[in-house]
Amino acid sequence: MSETTLQTQSVAIHVRKVLKRYGSSDKPALNEVSLEVPPGELLAVLGPSGSGKTTMLNVLAGLEQVEAGHVLFGDEDVTALQPEQRGVGVVFQSSMLYPHLSLRDSISFAPRIAKVPKQEISRRIEEVTNWLNIGHLLGRRPGEVSGGERQRAAIAKALVTQPRLLLMDEPFSAVDAQLRRQLRTELVKLHRRIGTTTIFVTHDQEEAMAIADRVAVMRDGELVQVGTPLELYRSPVNSWLADFVSIQPLNHFDAHVDEADRLVLLDGTLTVEGARLPRGSRVAVGVRPEHITMRPEPAATTWRILTQEMLGSVVKYVVRDTNGHEITTVTTADEMLAPDQPVELRVDRGRCMVFDAQTGKAFASASAQEASGVS
Ligand code: ADP
Ligand code: MG
């Protein structure tokens, strides 16, 4: 951050039991949501459409009033403040650039209103647009640049106000997939440089997991889990979340625990040693395709490869047992196994996510149980 002359700020965000309902609807868009964001964090808010992400962002921006609860920036309660009093920069899905103005005039609009000296504005614009590689486009209008360039300009417009919080609502969703990946990498670099607390809304789990320090997952107006991408990947709080944050769909099994303390999946064609659960328990088990170890075994009689799909660095296989059950595995592409190849499968207990069969809630992981002395 040493070469930065922009006055960057980062503030802690505290969302305390925020309740938000629209009109006469009795179903809250935010149901007493609480969230803590440390200064300088890049937090992704991830959830399906209609889960309350935009509402959350608008509440932080001051664009929506809350019915109950509080929003604090650092020690300051901003719940009653107008958007322009909050010191936030906002980037929406479609950029809020003025179609008849040059990018330079759009970007400088807010600081000019705020009576920032002209020279200072020029200096900020130069710095920010260099970071974003749009310095050469400032004379053009939004209609004369690409979608990706427009979103870069929208980010520049938010940053020249020197916000203490940067809010982004699906900023890259209108950009094609390849460019979206490039933009998200640049966003992470930009965030490293400026260190401004950033909240990034997306419905794309890959995008959220790729960019964020932590991810807050929303569903039906509630926060389901907040954690680092690795925490969400390793220890999802429930079965729904495990699926939602996974790039490769999970294998799901109904299982029971037998007398030998094994997890018995699929009528016994797959078993996992060391369940460490009460005998006879019925549970739901989720296993990631990359966590099923598969090796060719000519003498194997239960499992055979049904299909294989080359996905670049990995190969995805569907394998089928003698009863017709299918599971998906993913291995590194060191060798390709052919359809019909008999294989042996192995799943380690540490790789199983075990959920309550009724509620889908996660049980403590095997290692956590070991640590707490449960056996
Ligand atoms: P997301 O951004 O995750 O798709 P939203 O925050 O836009 O979700 O919406 C959350 C819920 O609030 C949805 O049920 C949506 O239909 C409702 N909602 C959002 N905006 C309004 C509005 N202006 N008026 C009435 N209902 C709204
Ligand atoms: Mg939205």
Side-chain angles (χ1 to χ4, degrees), residues 6 16 28 33 35 44 48 54 67 72-73 80 87 97 110 120-121 138 161 171 189 250 299 331-332 353 365:
L6 197 75
R16 305 227 165 114
V33 170
L35 175 66
T54 294
E67 193 175 323
L72 286 86
F73 291 177
L97 302 167
E120 166 73 13
I121 297 178
L138 291 175
T161 63
K189 283 195 206 156
L250 257 60
T331 68
T332 52
M353 293 182 253
S365 67

mmCIF file of all heavy atoms in Angstrom, residues 6 16 28 33 35 44 48 54 67 72-73 80 87 97 110 120-121 138 161 171 189 250 299 331-332 353 365:
data_model
loop_
_atom_site.group_PDB
_atom_site.id
_atom_site.type_symbol
_atom_site.label_atom_id
_atom_site.label_comp_id
_atom_site.label_asym_id
_atom_site.label_seq_id
_atom_site.Cartn_x
_atom_site.Cartn_y
_atom_site.Cartn_z
ATOM 1 N N LEU A 6 -3.969 7.658 -2.706
ATOM 2 C CA LEU A 6 -5.389 7.765 -2.365
ATOM 3 C C LEU A 6 -5.527 7.520 -0.866
ATOM 4 O O LEU A 6 -4.889 6.638 -0.315
ATOM 5 C CB LEU A 6 -6.164 6.678 -3.132
ATOM 6 C CG LEU A 6 -7.679 6.857 -3.250
ATOM 7 C CD1 LEU A 6 -8.005 7.931 -4.268
ATOM 8 C CD2 LEU A 6 -8.316 5.554 -3.651
ATOM 9 N N ARG A 16 -26.370 -5.692 13.487
ATOM 10 C CA ARG A 16 -26.907 -6.264 14.724
ATOM 11 C C ARG A 16 -28.411 -6.477 14.601
ATOM 12 O O ARG A 16 -29.184 -5.523 14.585
ATOM 13 C CB ARG A 16 -26.630 -5.309 15.901
ATOM 14 C CG ARG A 16 -25.137 -4.978 16.017
ATOM 15 C CD ARG A 16 -24.636 -5.111 17.436
ATOM 16 N NE ARG A 16 -23.178 -5.130 17.453
ATOM 17 C CZ ARG A 16 -22.423 -4.179 17.996
ATOM 18 N NH1 ARG A 16 -22.985 -3.139 18.594
ATOM 19 N NH2 ARG A 16 -21.105 -4.290 17.967
ATOM 20 N N PRO A 28 -39.815 -11.809 6.285
ATOM 21 C CA PRO A 28 -38.737 -10.805 6.245
ATOM 22 C C PRO A 28 -37.729 -11.102 5.135
ATOM 23 O O PRO A 28 -37.379 -12.257 4.897
ATOM 24 C CB PRO A 28 -38.065 -10.941 7.617
ATOM 25 C CG PRO A 28 -38.918 -11.846 8.429
ATOM 26 C CD PRO A 28 -39.744 -12.659 7.489
ATOM 27 N N VAL A 33 -30.790 -10.424 11.088
ATOM 28 C CA VAL A 33 -29.457 -10.839 10.654
ATOM 29 C C VAL A 33 -28.382 -10.081 11.429
ATOM 30 O O VAL A 33 -28.457 -8.860 11.591
ATOM 31 C CB VAL A 33 -29.288 -10.585 9.144
ATOM 32 C CG1 VAL A 33 -27.835 -10.780 8.714
ATOM 33 C CG2 VAL A 33 -30.199 -11.533 8.348
ATOM 34 N N LEU A 35 -24.041 -9.715 11.654
ATOM 35 C CA LEU A 35 -22.831 -10.006 10.891
ATOM 36 C C LEU A 35 -21.726 -9.063 11.341
ATOM 37 O O LEU A 35 -21.957 -7.875 11.526
ATOM 38 C CB LEU A 35 -23.117 -9.791 9.398
ATOM 39 C CG LEU A 35 -21.959 -9.936 8.415
ATOM 40 C CD1 LEU A 35 -21.463 -11.364 8.360
ATOM 41 C CD2 LEU A 35 -22.402 -9.485 7.018
ATOM 42 N N ALA A 44 -17.550 -11.957 0.858
ATOM 43 C CA ALA A 44 -18.540 -12.232 -0.180
ATOM 44 C C ALA A 44 -19.847 -12.618 0.501
ATOM 45 O O ALA A 44 -19.842 -13.399 1.449
ATOM 46 C CB ALA A 44 -18.077 -13.358 -1.092
ATOM 47 N N PRO A 48 -28.692 -17.944 -3.033
ATOM 48 C CA PRO A 48 -29.511 -18.039 -4.236
ATOM 49 C C PRO A 48 -30.317 -16.761 -4.451
ATOM 50 O O PRO A 48 -30.408 -15.920 -3.544
ATOM 51 C CB PRO A 48 -30.437 -19.228 -3.952
ATOM 52 C CG PRO A 48 -30.216 -19.643 -2.547
ATOM 53 C CD PRO A 48 -29.105 -18.850 -1.968
ATOM 54 N N THR A 54 -29.178 -8.481 -1.922
ATOM 55 C CA THR A 54 -29.269 -7.076 -2.329
ATOM 56 C C THR A 54 -29.861 -6.243 -1.205
ATOM 57 O O THR A 54 -29.425 -5.111 -0.955
ATOM 58 C CB THR A 54 -30.110 -6.958 -3.622
ATOM 59 O OG1 THR A 54 -29.387 -7.600 -4.672
ATOM 60 C CG2 THR A 54 -30.364 -5.519 -3.997
ATOM 61 N N GLU A 67 -36.416 -2.142 9.876
ATOM 62 C CA GLU A 67 -37.548 -2.083 10.806
ATOM 63 C C GLU A 67 -37.028 -2.176 12.248
ATOM 64 O O GLU A 67 -37.569 -1.573 13.161
ATOM 65 C CB GLU A 67 -38.452 -3.280 10.486
ATOM 66 C CG GLU A 67 -39.796 -3.245 11.099
ATOM 67 C CD GLU A 67 -40.627 -4.428 10.584
ATOM 68 O OE1 GLU A 67 -40.508 -4.790 9.395
ATOM 69 O OE2 GLU A 67 -41.371 -4.988 11.402
ATOM 70 N N LEU A 72 -23.588 -0.533 12.427
ATOM 71 C CA LEU A 72 -22.506 0.337 12.897
ATOM 72 C C LEU A 72 -21.320 0.236 11.964
ATOM 73 O O LEU A 72 -20.983 -0.858 11.494
ATOM 74 C CB LEU A 72 -22.054 -0.069 14.300
ATOM 75 C CG LEU A 72 -22.989 0.278 15.456
ATOM 76 C CD1 LEU A 72 -24.031 -0.806 15.640
ATOM 77 C CD2 LEU A 72 -22.205 0.468 16.737
ATOM 78 N N PHE A 73 -20.696 1.381 11.681
ATOM 79 C CA PHE A 73 -19.405 1.412 10.989
ATOM 80 C C PHE A 73 -18.388 1.818 12.053
ATOM 81 O O PHE A 73 -18.415 2.956 12.533
ATOM 82 C CB PHE A 73 -19.397 2.444 9.859
ATOM 83 C CG PHE A 73 -20.288 2.098 8.680
ATOM 84 C CD1 PHE A 73 -20.411 2.986 7.613
ATOM 85 C CD2 PHE A 73 -20.999 0.900 8.617
ATOM 86 C CE1 PHE A 73 -21.214 2.690 6.521
ATOM 87 C CE2 PHE A 73 -21.804 0.601 7.533
ATOM 88 C CZ PHE A 73 -21.919 1.496 6.486
ATOM 89 N N ALA A 80 -29.480 5.422 10.995
ATOM 90 C CA ALA A 80 -30.404 6.475 10.560
ATOM 91 C C ALA A 80 -29.781 7.411 9.520
ATOM 92 O O ALA A 80 -30.428 8.353 9.071
ATOM 93 C CB ALA A 80 -30.866 7.275 11.788
ATOM 94 N N GLY A 87 -20.340 7.452 3.681
ATOM 95 C CA GLY A 87 -18.971 7.223 3.196
ATOM 96 C C GLY A 87 -18.797 5.855 2.553
ATOM 97 O O GLY A 87 -17.772 5.209 2.744
ATOM 98 N N LEU A 97 -23.116 4.713 -14.593
ATOM 99 C CA LEU A 97 -22.407 5.792 -15.284
ATOM 100 C C LEU A 97 -23.444 6.603 -16.056
ATOM 101 O O LEU A 97 -24.485 6.079 -16.429
ATOM 102 C CB LEU A 97 -21.368 5.211 -16.242
ATOM 103 C CG LEU A 97 -20.312 4.312 -15.598
ATOM 104 C CD1 LEU A 97 -19.549 3.544 -16.665
ATOM 105 C CD2 LEU A 97 -19.357 5.125 -14.738
ATOM 106 N N ALA A 110 -19.155 12.675 -8.277
ATOM 107 C CA ALA A 110 -19.390 12.761 -6.831
ATOM 108 C C ALA A 110 -18.361 13.647 -6.123
ATOM 109 O O ALA A 110 -18.737 14.516 -5.332
ATOM 110 C CB ALA A 110 -19.437 11.364 -6.219
ATOM 111 N N GLU A 120 -6.916 17.666 -6.897
ATOM 112 C CA GLU A 120 -7.033 16.456 -6.083
ATOM 113 C C GLU A 120 -7.877 15.400 -6.821
ATOM 114 O O GLU A 120 -7.520 14.216 -6.860
ATOM 115 C CB GLU A 120 -7.650 16.836 -4.729
ATOM 116 C CG GLU A 120 -8.161 15.692 -3.879
ATOM 117 C CD GLU A 120 -7.049 14.862 -3.257
ATOM 118 O OE1 GLU A 120 -5.893 15.306 -3.277
ATOM 119 O OE2 GLU A 120 -7.359 13.748 -2.768
ATOM 120 N N ILE A 121 -8.960 15.841 -7.431
ATOM 121 C CA ILE A 121 -9.808 14.908 -8.184
ATOM 122 C C ILE A 121 -9.006 14.274 -9.326
ATOM 123 O O ILE A 121 -9.015 13.059 -9.520
ATOM 124 C CB ILE A 121 -11.071 15.608 -8.755
ATOM 125 C CG1 ILE A 121 -11.952 16.143 -7.617
ATOM 126 C CG2 ILE A 121 -11.872 14.638 -9.634
ATOM 127 C CD1 ILE A 121 -13.190 16.893 -8.087
ATOM 128 N N LEU A 138 -10.746 7.433 -20.732
ATOM 129 C CA LEU A 138 -11.512 8.402 -19.937
ATOM 130 C C LEU A 138 -12.311 9.391 -20.782
ATOM 131 O O LEU A 138 -13.308 9.944 -20.325
ATOM 132 C CB LEU A 138 -10.577 9.152 -18.986
ATOM 133 C CG LEU A 138 -10.020 8.262 -17.875
ATOM 134 C CD1 LEU A 138 -9.005 9.029 -17.022
ATOM 135 C CD2 LEU A 138 -11.154 7.742 -16.999
ATOM 136 N N THR A 161 -14.305 8.446 -4.415
ATOM 137 C CA THR A 161 -14.909 9.119 -3.258
ATOM 138 C C THR A 161 -14.179 8.735 -1.964
ATOM 139 O O THR A 161 -14.542 9.198 -0.901
ATOM 140 C CB THR A 161 -16.400 8.741 -3.119
ATOM 141 O OG1 THR A 161 -16.493 7.330 -2.864
ATOM 142 C CG2 THR A 161 -17.180 9.062 -4.390
ATOM 143 N N PRO A 171 -21.304 -7.337 -9.446
ATOM 144 C CA PRO A 171 -20.777 -6.352 -10.393
ATOM 145 C C PRO A 171 -20.338 -6.948 -11.727
ATOM 146 O O PRO A 171 -20.281 -6.245 -12.723
ATOM 147 C CB PRO A 171 -19.569 -5.767 -9.658
ATOM 148 C CG PRO A 171 -19.136 -6.838 -8.710
ATOM 149 C CD PRO A 171 -20.404 -7.516 -8.288
ATOM 150 N N LYS A 189 -6.539 -8.177 -6.355
ATOM 151 C CA LYS A 189 -5.292 -7.406 -6.325
ATOM 152 C C LYS A 189 -5.547 -5.968 -5.887
ATOM 153 O O LYS A 189 -4.798 -5.412 -5.089
ATOM 154 C CB LYS A 189 -4.663 -7.383 -7.724
ATOM 155 C CG LYS A 189 -3.976 -8.659 -8.103
ATOM 156 C CD LYS A 189 -3.099 -8.396 -9.319
ATOM 157 C CE LYS A 189 -2.888 -9.646 -10.115
ATOM 158 N NZ LYS A 189 -2.559 -9.355 -11.515
ATOM 159 N N LEU A 250 -21.960 -33.018 -4.679
ATOM 160 C CA LEU A 250 -21.607 -34.069 -3.715
ATOM 161 C C LEU A 250 -22.320 -35.381 -4.039
ATOM 162 O O LEU A 250 -23.403 -35.380 -4.619
ATOM 163 C CB LEU A 250 -22.120 -33.653 -2.337
ATOM 164 C CG LEU A 250 -21.157 -33.105 -1.312
ATOM 165 C CD1 LEU A 250 -20.485 -31.855 -1.832
ATOM 166 C CD2 LEU A 250 -21.910 -32.789 -0.031
ATOM 167 N N ALA A 299 -9.830 -57.988 -10.369
ATOM 168 C CA ALA A 299 -10.632 -58.988 -9.662
ATOM 169 C C ALA A 299 -11.857 -58.381 -8.968
ATOM 170 O O ALA A 299 -12.661 -59.118 -8.378
ATOM 171 C CB ALA A 299 -9.757 -59.707 -8.640
ATOM 172 N N THR A 331 -10.616 -37.683 -10.264
ATOM 173 C CA THR A 331 -9.203 -37.941 -9.968
ATOM 174 C C THR A 331 -8.340 -37.067 -10.871
ATOM 175 O O THR A 331 -8.818 -36.571 -11.885
ATOM 176 C CB THR A 331 -8.815 -39.414 -10.232
ATOM 177 O OG1 THR A 331 -8.892 -39.639 -11.647
ATOM 178 C CG2 THR A 331 -9.729 -40.384 -9.526
ATOM 179 N N THR A 332 -7.086 -36.919 -10.506
ATOM 180 C CA THR A 332 -6.182 -36.169 -11.375
ATOM 181 C C THR A 332 -6.006 -36.965 -12.667
ATOM 182 O O THR A 332 -6.090 -38.195 -12.676
ATOM 183 C CB THR A 332 -4.807 -35.960 -10.718
ATOM 184 O OG1 THR A 332 -4.328 -37.233 -10.293
ATOM 185 C CG2 THR A 332 -4.908 -35.034 -9.532
ATOM 186 N N MET A 353 -18.826 -36.160 5.258
ATOM 187 C CA MET A 353 -19.598 -35.166 5.996
ATOM 188 C C MET A 353 -20.852 -35.870 6.469
ATOM 189 O O MET A 353 -21.606 -36.426 5.660
ATOM 190 C CB MET A 353 -19.944 -34.008 5.082
ATOM 191 C CG MET A 353 -18.715 -33.231 4.668
ATOM 192 S SD MET A 353 -19.164 -31.839 3.638
ATOM 193 C CE MET A 353 -18.591 -32.446 2.091
ATOM 194 N N SER A 365 -17.411 -33.074 13.242
ATOM 195 C CA SER A 365 -16.567 -33.930 12.405
ATOM 196 C C SER A 365 -15.864 -34.969 13.260
ATOM 197 O O SER A 365 -15.736 -34.808 14.463
ATOM 198 C CB SER A 365 -15.533 -33.068 11.680
ATOM 199 O OG SER A 365 -14.639 -32.542 12.626
#
